[in-house]
Amino acid sequence: RETASGGGGGGGGYHGGGRHHGGYGSTSVYVGNLAYETSWQDLKDHMRAAGNVDQANVLTSDDGRSKGCGIVQYQKPQEAARAIRELQNSELHGRPIFVREDREQGGGHHHGGGGGGGG
């Protein structure tokens, strides 16, 4: 039956079935625009707002300096999806962080720019 078009960003509530539905099979997210002083612990604490974080890594270059980005692994794909929805542009150490699906792991089927993230 017809459903009235609700506000954007529904779709988070698939419990079992539609795993391939929105491409959210991934439990990890990529976080960019981190301040150089942000540690994995800071990142993990911040990203916990969306769910249970298994692991948080800040990527560093060979000399040990932060590259200003990291990967956060959640326990469930729904939590990763929520992080992308709710923590995008949230502030960590005075900078708005950038959160998107981590495409390195698993979901290699869609490459290219990060599709309609509605402004």
Side-chain angles (χ1 to χ4, degrees):
R1 64 181 206 272
E2 301 278 332
T3 55
S5 63
Y14 293 111
H15 281 303
R19 257 199 319 283
H20 307 126
H21 208 77
Y24 283 132
S26 174
T27 53
S28 56
V29 297
Y30 170 91
V31 186
N33 199 34
L34 297 176
Y36 286 122
E37 71 268 19
T38 302
S39 69
W40 68 268
Q41 186 74 58
D42 298 327
L43 183 60
K44 183 171 185 172
D45 289 347
H46 185 76
M47 300 304 284
R48 263 203 202 113
N52 292 314
V53 174
D54 262 356
Q55 198 176 8
N57 280 314
V58 173
L59 304 182
T60 54
S61 53
D62 296 339
D63 62 4
R65 272 173 61 79
S66 166
K67 289 184 175 177
C69 58
I71 304 290
V72 177
Q73 181 107 34
Y74 285 95
Q75 290 176 3
K76 301 192 183 85
Q78 296 94 307
E79 294 169 334
R82 183 189 300 158
I84 293 166
R85 270 202 319 274
E86 297 179 5
L87 296 176
Q88 174 73 272
N89 287 328
S90 61
E91 209 168 274
L92 179 57
H93 288 152
R95 298 169 70 124
I97 61 170
F98 173 76
V99 184
R100 68 163 165 78
E101 188 179 359
D102 175 26
R103 292 193 188 86
E104 304 306 304
Q105 277 198 327
H109 40 268
H110 47 275
H111 60 286

